[in-house]
Amino acid sequence: MGKRGDRKLQILQTLAEMLEAPTAVKITTAALAAKIVVSEAALYRHFTGKAQMFEGLIEFIEETLFGLINKITSEEKNGLRQIESISTMLLGFAQKNKGMTRVLIGDALVHENQRLQVRINQLHDRIESTLKQALRFAATQNEFPATLDPGARANLIMSYIIGRWHQYAKSGFSRDPMQYWNEQRPATIAY
């Protein structure tokens, strides 16, 4: 990747690092430029504005999460284990990526363009659809009752994950999203 791509990546990495602050503060382009030690004009050579920078972070999140989800669903042949692995991965992603967690829950997007929150909502919906599909697959394997609604269970699992992300971010990253997962996993995933 050339120098231009390197600078763009540096800007996104710095933005993600700034989002890791335990207290939510509105990030300005001036503060971002100062942290990188460039002018604001230099930021605008790579991005049209802060919204485009957040879009870059969301793209990174989407590519990473769905790359891992696709790997899980192609390698794991058991539907319930797919759900367990995807859920564990989603909680672990938050644990390793504090700043990205603030984007995933929309906290970092509060004062930004509304289309960014819409995009995060769509990301959540895609993950929930994947969970629903895995539950349907589990039903064909007689691991999940065909009489239960896979959509309702997928929504419950997604609500659990988002709730754990929220607790993690709102606690200043002190409440580990993986805490209690081993104990709560059976009640969350099983029927």
Side-chain angles (χ1 to χ4, degrees):
M1 190 181 295
K3 188 176 171 101
R4 182 170 172 78
D6 292 342
R7 177 64 77 185
K8 193 171 186 174
L9 182 59
Q10 180 190 22
I11 293 166
L12 292 176
Q13 287 173 333
T14 305
L15 177 58
E17 287 169 16
M18 291 175 76
L19 290 170
E20 290 181 7
T23 54
V25 222
K26 185 175 181 197
I27 296 174
T28 63
T29 53
L32 180 60
K35 183 110 173 140
I36 301 172
V37 192
V38 296
S39 67
E40 282 186 77
L43 295 178
Y44 291 117
R45 282 195 284 279
H46 300 281
F47 296 96
T48 58
K50 200 165 36 151
Q52 192 179 46
M53 292 176 206
F54 277 109
E55 284 174 351
L57 289 180
I58 294 169
E59 284 172 21
F60 170 81
I61 292 168
E62 287 173 336
E63 289 171 12
T64 302
L65 294 182
F66 285 102
L68 292 169
I69 286 170
N70 291 338
K71 185 177 188 309
I72 290 166
T73 57
S74 67
E75 292 176 2
E76 179 55 64
K77 301 305 175 200
N78 179 287
L80 285 184
R81 282 198 293 270
Q82 283 181 6
I83 300 228
E84 182 177 334
S85 295
I86 290 168
S87 300
T88 302
M89 178 275 296
L90 291 168
L91 295 170
F93 179 84
Q95 185 183 50
K96 293 175 187 150
N97 298 282
K98 296 174 184 174
M100 301 296 183
T101 302
R102 290 193 52 221
V103 174
L104 278 166
I105 66 168
D107 185 43
L109 308 174
V110 169
H111 301 291
E112 305 303 329
N113 189 303
Q114 181 60 31
R115 79 175 182 275
L116 297 170
Q117 185 59 58
V118 168
R119 189 155 173 198
I120 285 297
N121 294 347
Q122 290 169 341
L123 172 82
H124 291 185
D125 291 345
R126 283 181 60 202
I127 294 170
E128 189 173 321
S129 290
T130 301
L131 294 170
K132 182 177 175 181
Q133 186 175 4
L135 284 164
R136 284 185 177 142
F137 182 54
T140 67
Q141 298 173 324
N142 296 318
E143 296 180 330
F144 185 77
T147 56
L148 292 181
D149 183 354
R153 182 53 58 113
N155 181 262
L156 172 69
I157 296 167
M158 195 63 202
S159 296
Y160 174 86
I161 291 165
I162 292 170
R164 296 301 296 166
W165 288 344
H166 267 276
Q167 284 183 327
Y168 185 49
K170 298 300 183 181
S171 70
F173 306 111
S174 65
R175 289 196 67 183
D176 185 345
M178 297 293 290
Q179 182 182 21
Y180 307 124
W181 175 234
N182 287 332
E183 296 84 2
Q184 293 171 344
R185 176 179 42 222
T188 307
I189 294 173
Y191 56 93

